[in-house]
Amino acid sequence: MTRCLNCGAERGADVCESCGLNSTAAEFALRRRLLNRTAFFVLGALAFVAASNRYPPLELDGILIFIGVLFFLTLGLAILVERRALRHLEVEALKRVYYGLIPLPWLLAGLLLVNGAFDREPPRIQEARVVGKFSMGGALPSRRLIVTSWREGHRVERVPVDRVNFDSFSRGDVVEVKVEGGLVGIPWVVDAFHR
């Protein structure tokens, strides 16, 4: 007894009694659904990157590493489901796990947007010294000042800045970083400027 690739119902014959599709049509329906949901997932990952640039959290590197691992794990799972479906193997459990991972980038993007947009605490000014700079080009360029940390348990902070601020700072300069606590407790950077 195997399960239908389309609806997941148990079937004993080539044609599923629940949805009426044979195994070839069910495989096609599954592959089409996988493609649509993967596109939705990729758009969510892009929305997450845009949200992280709008209200950049202090722990941006760790968050981007987490979303990158999640991204490739989910895409790998989609490929595994599709390959198992081609061989007419059982995919129902893997398919459900994959479908559960699809909305995560959208939820995380919404969390970052809500964290920054609805934060009503007054910003705090933190003073730090620039110890390095990091710049990465591309479609979404990233420029960060690496500064001494004001938080306990951290050596340095990577503060996102715009191009003008990035060019105006050099190693050893004192920088004032305007930080907000975040509605859900994720501190984020408003701005950085010369003292």
Side-chain angles (χ1 to χ4, degrees), residues 7 11 20 32 35 54 67 80 96 112 130 134 150-151 176 189:
C7 66
R11 63 181 175 90
R32 187 182 69 227
L35 182 65
R54 177 68 178 103
I67 199 74
L80 181 64
R96 297 296 171 198
L112 285 183
V130 178
F134 171 78
W150 56 88
R151 298 188 297 167
E176 289 189 348
V189 177

Side-chain angles (χ1 to χ4, degrees), residues 20-181:
L21 297 179
N22 64 15
S23 59
T24 305
E27 177 187 325
F28 179 75
L30 172 69
R31 293 175 83 190
R32 187 182 69 227
R33 193 173 298 125
L34 280 174
L35 182 65
N36 291 337
R37 291 186 185 205
T38 301
F40 183 74
F41 176 75
V42 169
L43 287 175
L46 291 174
F48 175 81
V49 171
S52 68
N53 284 334
R54 177 68 178 103
Y55 300 105
L58 277 175
E59 299 292 339
L60 183 60
D61 290 342
I63 292 172
L64 288 176
I65 289 170
F66 171 75
I67 199 74
V69 168
L70 176 72
F71 181 81
F72 288 110
L73 179 102
T74 305
L75 288 184
L77 191 58
I79 292 168
L80 181 64
V81 168
E82 193 262 341
R83 293 296 165 199
R84 288 181 62 88
L86 280 176
R87 291 182 299 209
H88 300 287
L89 297 173
E90 201 62 41
V91 297
E92 192 61 29
L94 292 173
K95 184 173 76 170
R96 297 296 171 198
V97 171
Y98 173 70
Y99 290 170
L101 292 173
I102 296 297
L104 277 182
W106 288 100
L107 294 172
L108 293 173
L111 180 71
L112 285 183
L113 286 174
V114 165
N115 182 62
F118 297 109
D119 186 8
R120 298 295 174 233
E121 282 185 31
R124 297 180 316 272
I125 305 294
Q126 304 290 346
E127 194 171 284
R129 184 168 303 279
V130 178
V131 294
K133 294 164 70 169
F134 171 78
S135 177
M136 182 177 69
L140 292 170
S142 176
R143 293 173 189 86
R144 299 186 195 158
L145 297 176
I146 302 170
V147 300
T148 55
S149 181
W150 56 88
R151 298 188 297 167
E152 189 174 320
H154 293 82
R155 268 190 39 241
V156 295
E157 303 290 347
R158 290 163 182 81
V159 178
V161 293
D162 59 12
R163 184 177 190 157
V164 174
N165 280 343
F166 183 81
D167 292 337
S168 69
F169 283 104
S170 58
R171 188 172 293 184
D173 288 350
V174 175
V175 61
E176 289 189 348
V177 182
K178 190 186 290 188
V179 180
E180 292 209 25

